Amino acid sequence: MTTYRLTVNDAQVEVDVPGMRRLLDVLREDLALTGTKEGCGEGECGACTVLIDGAPVDSCLVPICQVGGASVRTVEGLAAPAEGSVASPADGADAPADGADAPVALDPLQAAFLMTGGAQCGICTPGMLMAARAYIDAGGPPDDAAIREAIAGNLCRCTGYTKIVEAIAIVAGSSA
């Protein structure tokens, strides 16, 4: 076992795991970040897409030894704490240290996916959101063909991609 230090969703973390353990497993099992989904386990579907130093990567293909010192962003890292929110449950009990019950403000992409109906069963949604976030952060335009190319590594079995592309275009157009 080796200790690896990395930044996950803007928080410094340390994990003591074998170097060839998949990043996907570290995120889900060791760090309890279950938003990242395993679809195929072979890098074909994109359900496990996360951003490593801003680039979309299939986390099922990445051993933890390759991301020591890197910045990893998962779908949980998209939403931000709501402005003025109090991180305690309504009953007045102490909130969990991780802020799990704290109100959040959705990322514009998450809101657009909800507005357009871009999320169906939810398996591909985290990966789609992360690929779309990388596209928008890189200044991608609200162009259907460019958006479809940016999400080409992410498979969705429920939609015809139209509503997903529409959601991404809305945000890309407002970011321009």
Side-chain angles (χ1 to χ4, degrees), residues 62-122:
V62 178
I64 191 70
C65 66
Q66 290 185 348
V67 295
S71 176
V72 177
R73 189 171 183 197
T74 69
V75 70
E76 289 92 346
L78 289 182
E83 191 172 318
S85 68
V86 177
S88 61
D91 66 3
D94 290 335
D98 64 3
D101 289 339
V104 296
L106 294 179
D107 181 270
L109 272 169
Q110 292 170 308
F113 268 62
L114 284 172
M115 183 179 73
T116 64
Q120 299 274 318
C121 80

Side-chain angles (χ1 to χ4, degrees), residues 86-167:
V86 177
S88 61
D91 66 3
D94 290 335
D98 64 3
D101 289 339
V104 296
L106 294 179
D107 181 270
L109 272 169
Q110 292 170 308
F113 268 62
L114 284 172
M115 183 179 73
T116 64
Q120 299 274 318
C121 80
I123 296 297
C124 76
T125 305
M128 285 286 187
L129 287 166
M130 299 315 292
R133 174 48 52 213
Y135 175 76
I136 290 167
D137 288 351
D143 172 74
D144 279 13
I147 292 169
R148 287 179 184 275
E149 172 133 354
I151 62 169
N154 297 76
L155 303 178
C156 177
R157 293 177 175 95
C158 299
T159 72
Y161 298 92
T162 302
K163 295 183 181 302
I164 292 169
V165 171
E166 179 183 344

Side-chain angles (χ1 to χ4, degrees), residues 35-91:
T36 303
K37 306 298 181 207
E38 179 165 10
C40 66
E42 300 176 356
E44 295 292 326
C45 73
C48 67
T49 301
V50 298
L51 303 183
I52 299 176
D53 295 331
V57 176
D58 292 332
S59 63
C60 71
L61 297 178
V62 178
I64 191 70
C65 66
Q66 290 185 348
V67 295
S71 176
V72 177
R73 189 171 183 197
T74 69
V75 70
E76 289 92 346
L78 289 182
E83 191 172 318
S85 68
V86 177
S88 61
D91 66 3

